[in-house]
Structures are given as C-alpha cells and as structure tokens.
Amino acid sequence: MRGNIITILAKLSLLVTMIMSTIMVKSVALDYGDALTKSILFFECQRSGYLPPSQRMTWRKNSALKDGSDIGVRMDGGYYDAGDNVKFHFPMAFTTTMLAWSVIEFGDLMGPDLQHALDAIRWGTDYFLKATKDPNVVIAQIGDPNKDHICWERPEDMDTSRKTYVVTTSKPGSEVSAEIAAALAASSIALRKNDGRYSEALLLRAKRVFDFANNHRGSYNDSIGDGACPFYCDFNGYMDELVWGAAWLYMASNDQFYWNFVKSNIQSLGSFSEFGWDSKHAGINVLISERVMNDPSNQNSFISNANNLMCSLLPNSPTKAVTYSKGGLLFKPGSSNMQHVTSYSFLLIVYARYMQVNQKIVNCGNFVVKPADLVNLAKTQVDYVLGKNPLGMSYMVGYGQKFPQKLHHRASTMPSIDVYPEHIECHDGDKYFELQSPDINQLTGAIVGGPAEDDSFQDSRYNVPQSEPATYINAPFVGVLAYFKQRNSKY
C-alpha cells in the first residue's frame, strides 16, 4: 500500500511539474524582424581590423592591425569567433558558409537587412582571399590561443602573441582549407547578384583552395598543434569538409567533377545527424537534396540520410536521437548548446521548403511527417531562444526585456576606448571580468551558449558554456529569423 501511495504521489508531482512548466513558458509577442536585425548586428561587434565608416557598433574600434606581420603578409580583418581575441579560421569559415547559405535561401525575405547580411559575408570573404593568396599556403589561424586566454584584454589593446599559423603542402590542413573553399563557393552564390565580378573571383579561388585541400590531405590538428587543440580540434576527420566543399562548388559551378566527388565520398562519412563547425554530414545531405529529391535515377543516400536526420530530431519520432528540456529546448551532448539549436532549426526549415516544393513527406516508422511539422518544430526552438521559455528570458542580447547581462566576452565587459583611452594591460582587465554588474557595452544580437538541460541559466562570466556567444551560433539563425519574419507563425 505504501508503495502505491508513493507511486501516486510521484505521478502527481510529475503532473504538477509539467503543468507549472507549461504555465511558466511565458506568453510573449515576438518580433522576428527585430531579432533578425540584431542577429546580423552582432557580427559588427566581432569584427577585427580596420572598421569601416558604416560601422554601427561604434564602441568597437580598430584592432589587430598588424596581424600577419610575423610572416610578412597583411592579415587584418576577419572575425573573432567568440569572447576571446583569436581568429580561428576553421569556425570563422563555417560561420561565413552559413551566412551565405542563409542569404541564398532567405535573402529575398530579409528586406533592408539583406545588405547588412551581404556586408557580413563580404567581411569574411575579403579576409579569406588574403588567407589564400599563396597557392601553396592557407593561413589557418592568427593569435596564440594559450597566451590569449590568459589575458582579459580589449581587442583594441591586446599585446599577446599574434602568431600566424599556416598549413602547407608538407604540413596540410584539409579541414580548414576545405571549409574555406566551401565559404568562398557559397558566398560566390550569395553575392552573385550584388557583384558578379567579385563572385567570379570567389569561385575561382574556391576551386584552387579545394584542390590544395584535396591534393595535400592531412589534419590541421597535426600541422598547427596546440593552436587548434583543445580549442577547435577537428574530431570528425577532414573528409566531411572535403565533401562539403565539393558540394558547395557543385552548387556554385554545376561542374560534374565536384558532383562526382560528392557521390564517390558521401558513403565514407558515417553519421548522418551531425552538423556544426566540426561536422558537416547533415548539412551536405540537406544541401544536395535540393538537386536530387525528384530525380528518379538517384541511387544515392542523400534523401534517406536527410529523412533520417529529420526523424532523429522530431520529439514524437520513434528514432529521436536528441533530448528536449521540459521547456522544449533541443539538446545534444557538449557545451554551448545553442549552436545545435540554431543549426538544426536552419536545416529543418530548409528541408521543409524542399519537401514542400517537391510535394514530399517523410515516414519515421509509422509516424508521417509533413513540411509543416518540421517548421513547427523549428518555431518552438526559435521562440524559446527569444523568450518563450520557463524563465521568460531571451537568450539574444538586447532582444526583449530580459536577456543575459554578464557575458563571457572581453570587449563587452570593458570600457570602450572612447570612454577609457588608456591601454589596459593583460591582467588589469580582470577587475572588469570579476564585476557583478552588467556588461559595460551591450553585445547586441549575440546569442549565448544557453541554458542547462533543466532550463536553468546562470548569468555569469564564469559559466563559459552558458554565457559565451559565438559567430557560428548566430550565422544559421540569420536565415531562420528571416523566414519567420516573413511567414510569422504559419508555414
């Protein structure tokens, strides 16, 4: 009898928890257009080099102007990836690729924000043209991360080692090189209407960089050592980047060579469900599916893999491979969970659109999935990020009434040079890190790593997985927000 009572009480407790969780998910009106504008604005906060007259985030100033001087090249520009002052080219290239894909799919829905999105892409591609100027060298990273991470300094002040890491024919880095090729190829499509000559230059460079990556195979983990690891180690090998690069070159050029490369190597990639700066598997299948979805002669695995991906994400699917918090947020193992939320939301919407055009459905066992089901799932994720969650908190800085205030981000925590023009030494910035007050500068549009799996969030600079933003979190969200800005709550 006592056991039955305990069981009943446990069930009642669970029911109360579920009801309270539902009640706590705040009902707020969301402005996807405002979120889109701010999500693109964040990239201006992350700019390195000489800032243009059009710079809207005026508390940021010129920085890292002598990058590349240790090897006699000019490498100012590019993006800081997150809250530090290193330019990691592997995730920077993925960021650029996803910004370009966002514009390719959803640029016509962006309105006045389109030009800012194109500017964000070009800030990346201008830099990667510098990084790939030498046919036998790809510059893979700038800044010694081990020394950089010791100092809490503004980008404008940093005096730590700006070592230039390169990969060559004898010390290859296929993953970073192929991801740069993908970024250049995708951007050539995104920028074609805006600047045809520049677009063609990007495509030609993408082909050359892909050849470099493919003909001189090897991992940058080995070639640049502790410059890459443990910060952005390539855990999945470089074949997914080679196939990803070839896929984008095929989309940009229609060259049969790249299509044959993709078909010949897709089976070697293994998992169909991984996607992010390190793993391109799911993105490849979704990207290529546009071309082959209605091809009766298609004997490849792109569609089945993409279908399996969708089934792995849907909460009611018998093959679900992710978890969801009580508040409804998607989770995968690892830190900075919002990178998964934004990337998978992007793939859900893109694939839904391809399905809609081709009048397709997906069967997850006996569970039938329509395009609207994928869009609805993506919308739950977008809405959670923007404030429809148990804490009623937006995880985009500057959006809504309640958002993270204490980011793990050097520039936002310290006074602008306009306010404090004197040089701030390496450890003199520690006092700003340790402040319990909100950031001095608002990092508008930044999406942080996000809450824990119990929907709790610690607004603290010490909690890096939750409070650090990153460009590769925002990049796919640009396209997602453009879609919902236009379509709002209905597919």
Side-chain angles (χ1 to χ4, degrees):
M1 182 67 178
R2 183 173 179 272
N4 290 337
I5 292 173
I6 292 173
T7 301
I8 291 170
L9 289 173
K11 289 182 177 179
L12 285 171
S13 176
L14 177 61
L15 179 61
V16 169
T17 300
M18 292 173 65
I19 292 171
M20 290 302 295
S21 177
T22 301
I23 292 172
M24 289 170 66
V25 176
K26 306 296 183 182
S27 177
V28 293
L30 300 179
D31 185 340
Y32 301 112
D34 182 46
L36 170 64
T37 299
K38 289 172 177 173
S39 71
I40 299 172
L41 192 59
F42 166 63
F43 292 95
E44 294 190 17
C45 302
Q46 298 301 106
R47 284 172 170 168
S48 181
Y50 292 94
L51 302 185
S54 60
Q55 174 81 7
R56 294 174 291 170
M57 302 302 289
T58 55
W59 55 268
R60 278 296 325 283
K61 305 299 177 183
N62 299 338
S63 63
L65 303 182
K66 295 181 180 180
D67 279 357
S69 60
D70 58 329
I71 62 168
V73 299
R74 182 175 172 178
M75 284 301 300
D76 54 287
Y79 289 108
Y80 304 115
D81 73 297
D84 50 43
N85 297 324
V86 181
K87 295 191 294 194
F88 293 100
H89 294 187
F90 191 23
M92 190 197 302
F94 176 72
T95 292
T96 306
T97 306
M98 292 309 297
L99 278 171
W101 198 1
S102 290
V103 166
I104 292 166
E105 295 289 344
F106 306 107
D108 60 336
L109 308 180
M110 292 182 181
D113 287 306
L114 174 59
Q115 186 57 52
H116 295 301
L118 295 174
D119 291 344
I121 294 168
R122 189 154 182 162
W123 194 264
T125 54
D126 282 350
Y127 181 74
F128 285 126
L129 288 175
K130 295 179 184 179
T132 58
K133 188 175 181 179
D134 187 329
N136 296 312
V137 172
V138 167
I139 296 176
Q141 182 173 312
I142 294 185
D144 182 333
N146 295 285
K147 294 179 180 179
D148 175 271
H149 283 61
I150 294 172
C151 294
W152 198 260
E153 279 185 307
R154 297 179 294 197
E156 295 83 358
D157 282 335
M158 59 180 165
D159 45 22
T160 54
S161 169
R162 299 303 290 171
K163 179 179 178 179
T164 301
Y165 296 83
V166 300
V167 294
T168 64
T169 56
S170 59
K171 290 187 175 181
S174 294
E175 59 280 271
V176 64
S177 303
E179 185 60 64
I180 291 174
L184 294 170
S187 299
S188 76
I189 303 172
L191 295 168
R192 192 168 287 162
K193 293 180 181 179
N194 185 261
D195 189 335
R197 181 175 295 182
Y198 184 74
S199 169
E200 185 61 27
L202 294 180
L203 181 55
L204 289 173
R205 183 64 60 84
K207 291 179 178 180
R208 193 180 82 186
V209 176
F210 177 83
D211 287 343
F212 172 84
N214 186 37
N215 294 335
H216 306 284
R217 294 188 182 187
S219 175
Y220 92 142
N221 291 357
D222 303 318
S223 297
I224 71 171
D226 62 0
C229 296
F231 308 98
Y232 287 102
C233 294
D234 177 18
F235 294 102
N236 288 283
Y238 53 75
M239 277 309 302
D240 58 322
E241 277 78 35
L242 285 172
V243 177
W244 176 243
W248 276 111
L249 277 162
Y250 171 60
M251 300 299 284
S253 69
N254 285 314
D255 189 321
Q256 193 69 23
F257 169 80
Y258 300 110
W259 176 228
N260 290 338
F261 186 96
V262 172
K263 289 191 294 182
S264 299
N265 291 284
I266 189 66
Q267 298 294 347
S268 68
L269 298 188
S271 173
F272 59 82
S273 62
E274 297 300 321
F275 190 55
W277 61 263
D278 182 35
S279 304
K280 311 307 182 311
H281 311 68
I284 294 165
N285 289 309
V286 171
L287 175 66
I288 293 296
S289 69
E290 180 194 23
R291 294 287 181 98
V292 300
M293 190 171 282
N294 259 341
D295 182 359
S297 65
N298 173 42
Q299 299 298 315
N300 300 295
S301 58
F302 305 106
I303 301 301
S304 61
N305 282 342
N307 287 347
N308 289 338
L309 170 69
M310 301 304 139
C311 293
S312 75
L313 300 176
L314 287 156
N316 296 324
S317 169
T319 56
K320 181 186 71 169
V322 297
T323 59
Y324 286 88
S325 70
K326 288 182 179 178
L329 188 66
L330 179 151
F331 274 84
K332 285 179 69 73
S335 62
S336 190
N337 183 66
M338 282 301 186
Q339 65 180 306
H340 304 305
V341 173
T342 60
S343 294
Y344 286 117
S345 294
F346 181 89
L347 294 183
L348 284 164
I349 295 172
V350 169
Y351 199 62
R353 289 179 56 154
Y354 296 166
M355 288 171 60
Q356 182 76 10
V357 168
N358 293 283
Q359 299 182 323
K360 299 290 185 180
I361 60 170
V362 173
N363 291 300
C364 303
N366 295 324
F367 183 61
V368 177
V369 179
K370 299 177 181 178
D373 297 318
L374 303 182
V375 172
N376 289 338
L377 174 56
K379 187 175 184 300
T380 66
Q381 302 307 295
V382 174
D383 290 358
Y384 187 110
V385 173
L386 297 182
K388 286 191 175 182
N389 55 61
L391 297 181
M393 169 177 278
S394 161
Y395 291 100
M396 176 184 286
V397 176
Y399 178 87
Q401 298 301 310
K402 181 182 179 184
F403 49 82
Q405 302 281 343
K406 303 170 189 175
L407 276 63
H408 187 91
H409 188 276
R410 286 157 175 76
S412 67
T413 62
M414 305 174 73
S416 170
I417 286 178
D418 282 340
V419 176
Y420 190 90
E422 297 179 32
H423 182 83
I424 299 176
E425 301 287 344
C426 172
H427 292 296
D428 289 344
D430 293 350
K431 63 184 179 183
Y432 296 104
F433 175 85
E434 295 165 358
L435 288 174
Q436 294 303 306
S437 54
D439 294 344
I440 295 173
N441 304 302
Q442 183 172 288
L443 198 68
T444 303
I447 302 173
V448 298
E453 202 161 354
D454 63 357
D455 295 305
S456 66
F457 178 73
Q458 185 180 13
D459 192 4
S460 167
R461 299 179 189 103
Y462 291 93
N463 192 328
V464 182
Q466 291 193 345
S467 68
E468 187 171 26
T471 56
Y472 49 85
I473 299 177
N474 270 62
F477 216 53
V478 170
V480 171
L481 290 169
Y483 174 83
F484 284 110
K485 170 192 173 185
Q486 178 71 17
R487 302 296 292 271
N488 204 346
S489 62
K490 293 184 179 180
Y491 180 75

